[in-house]
């Protein structure tokens, strides 16, 4: 495997960052996961726009997007896979052991791993922990992911692939690595960004292409929704057939199935929508 690290491709054995890198010591970093199909990154411009927004929100210098694009192209060429997970990581670089940043510059890593298409439906659970819709990191895609690791482990313990959070006022928010949509009386709804959820790239495209509405939703909407589906870079659109102990028959339902078809068709027609 070839990995891009700070300006050049390196073998995995020689791709090393400092043990004092702020991304490791205090989680001072951001990242993007980009789907790559036959060596071509999907929606890369949108991902790079969000990478810049996350950097600014964290107080990091703007990433050099020309370098990031070169890095993506080089890694994809060096590691051919039919379907891949392209991971862009950008951190505060080497710094002190505390929260103050150092003066050694940022770290950029781009790596690629192979993946497979997700099943058409999955199971999810709700968890007792909340998203803070007013936090300093709200809406930023940061490497401070331990909360998601804990919640996803809970989901795995219950035979699910995703955990769903409410926010601090009891509204439906998001999953550990996905956005959530519900179908009510034939209409598609998803929590607004004000709920504290991440501005998912796939979420935005699905909303644009299906006319989904942003709606404040209570967490218990999951008990009553006609259909539920998730969106993310690697899930695309994925139906939910079980949430906690509730089984949703015939998932994907008709509205979700149409959303899946629309997304597949539109994303196949335009690699950088």
């Amino acid at each position: 495997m070839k990995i891009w690290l700070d300006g050049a491709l390196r073998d995995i054995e020689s791709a090393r960052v400092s043990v004092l890198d702020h991304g490791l010591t205090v989680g001072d970093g951001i990242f993007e996961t980009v789907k790559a199909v036959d060596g071509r990154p999907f929606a890369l411009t949108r991902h790079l726009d969000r990478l810049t927004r996350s950097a600014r929100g964290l107080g990091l210098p703007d990433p050099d997007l020309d370098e990031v694009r070169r890095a993506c192209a080089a890694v994809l060429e060096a590691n051919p896979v039919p379907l891949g997970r392209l991971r862009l990581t950008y951190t505060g670089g080497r710094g002190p052991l505390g929260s103050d940043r150092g003066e050694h510059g940022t770290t950029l890593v781009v790596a690629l791993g192979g993946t497979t298409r997700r099943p058409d439906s999955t199971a999810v659970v709700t968890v007792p922990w909340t998203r803070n819709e007013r936090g300093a990191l709200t809406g930023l895609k940061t490497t401070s992911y331990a909360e998601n690791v804990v919640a996803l482990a809970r989901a795995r313990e219950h035979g699910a692939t995703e955990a769903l959070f409410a926010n601090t006022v009891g509204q439906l928010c998001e999953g550990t690595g996905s956005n959530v949509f519900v179908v009510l009386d034939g209409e598609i709804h998803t929590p607004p960004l004000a709920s504290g959820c991440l501005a998912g790239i796939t979420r935005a495209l699905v909303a644009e292409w299906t006319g989904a509405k942003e709606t404040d939703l209570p967490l218990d909407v999951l008990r009553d929704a006609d259909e539920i589906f998730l969106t993310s870079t690697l899930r695309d659109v994925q139906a939910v057939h079980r949430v906690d102990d509730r089984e949703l028959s015939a998932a994907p339902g008709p509205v979700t199935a149409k959303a899946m078809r629309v997304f597949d068709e539109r994303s196949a027609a335009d690699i950088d929508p």
Side-chain angles (χ1 to χ4, degrees):
M1 179 186 294
K2 297 285 188 179
I3 293 175
W4 183 280
L5 173 60
D6 289 340
L9 277 177
R10 305 174 193 270
D11 293 327
I12 190 169
E13 293 80 10
S14 62
R16 298 288 185 268
V17 298
S18 170
V19 295
L20 299 180
D21 192 282
H22 242 211
L24 171 65
T25 56
V26 296
D28 180 23
I30 58 175
F31 77 99
E32 287 290 322
T33 298
V34 183
K35 181 174 67 173
V37 182
D38 295 325
R40 303 173 69 201
F42 178 70
L44 182 59
T45 298
R46 288 180 183 248
H47 281 285
L48 296 186
D49 288 346
R50 189 172 65 182
L51 187 74
T52 299
R53 293 197 305 272
S54 292
R56 291 174 179 174
L58 211 58
L60 293 171
D62 283 5
D64 181 341
L65 297 188
D66 289 336
E67 180 188 359
V68 179
R69 286 185 179 274
R70 289 195 305 273
C72 291
V75 169
L76 287 166
E77 182 178 4
N79 304 284
V81 293
L83 183 63
R85 175 199 297 260
L86 189 64
R87 162 80 181 223
L88 288 56
T89 307
Y90 182 69
T91 79
R94 185 157 61 93
L97 290 175
S99 297
D100 289 332
R101 290 194 174 111
E103 299 178 354
H104 298 278
T106 56
T107 299
L108 173 66
V109 180
V110 178
L112 180 71
T115 188
T116 57
R117 182 175 170 85
R118 83 290 181 266
D120 283 344
S121 70
T122 194
V124 304
V125 298
T126 56
V127 290
W129 310 293
T130 59
R131 288 293 202 227
N132 182 358
E133 69 279 8
R134 296 172 294 170
L137 302 184
T138 300
L140 308 181
K141 195 168 180 68
T142 78
T143 57
S144 299
Y145 237 53
E147 185 176 76
N148 292 324
V149 172
V150 171
L152 188 57
R154 171 71 67 90
R156 298 294 188 189
E157 291 170 0
H158 290 82
T161 70
E162 183 58 301
L164 300 181
F165 293 90
N167 61 17
T168 64
V169 292
Q171 296 170 332
L172 179 63
C173 186
E174 63 178 351
T176 68
S178 67
N179 292 106
V180 58
F181 289 72
V182 299
V183 178
L184 303 171
D185 297 326
E187 292 187 335
I188 304 174
H189 300 263
T190 193
L193 298 183
S195 71
C197 68
L198 183 72
I201 304 302
T202 308
R203 171 191 180 276
L205 291 172
V206 168
E208 291 174 20
W209 294 343
T210 68
K213 299 178 179 179
E214 290 192 340
T215 309
D216 288 324
L217 302 162
L219 184 64
D220 63 10
V221 73
L222 299 173
R223 296 203 300 259
D224 304 316
D226 303 317
E227 302 173 36
I228 303 168
F229 63 85
L230 307 176
T231 63
S232 75
T233 289
L234 296 179
R235 292 177 189 268
D236 294 334
V237 178
Q238 185 180 41
V240 171
H241 62 252
R242 175 170 62 84
V243 54
D244 293 330
D245 295 327
R246 182 194 175 199
E247 297 285 345
L248 287 85
S249 60
V255 178
T256 301
K258 182 177 180 180
M260 294 168 74
R261 289 195 303 272
V262 168
F263 186 84
D264 286 347
E265 293 168 0
R266 295 288 295 267
S267 60
D270 187 355
I271 199 68
D272 198 20

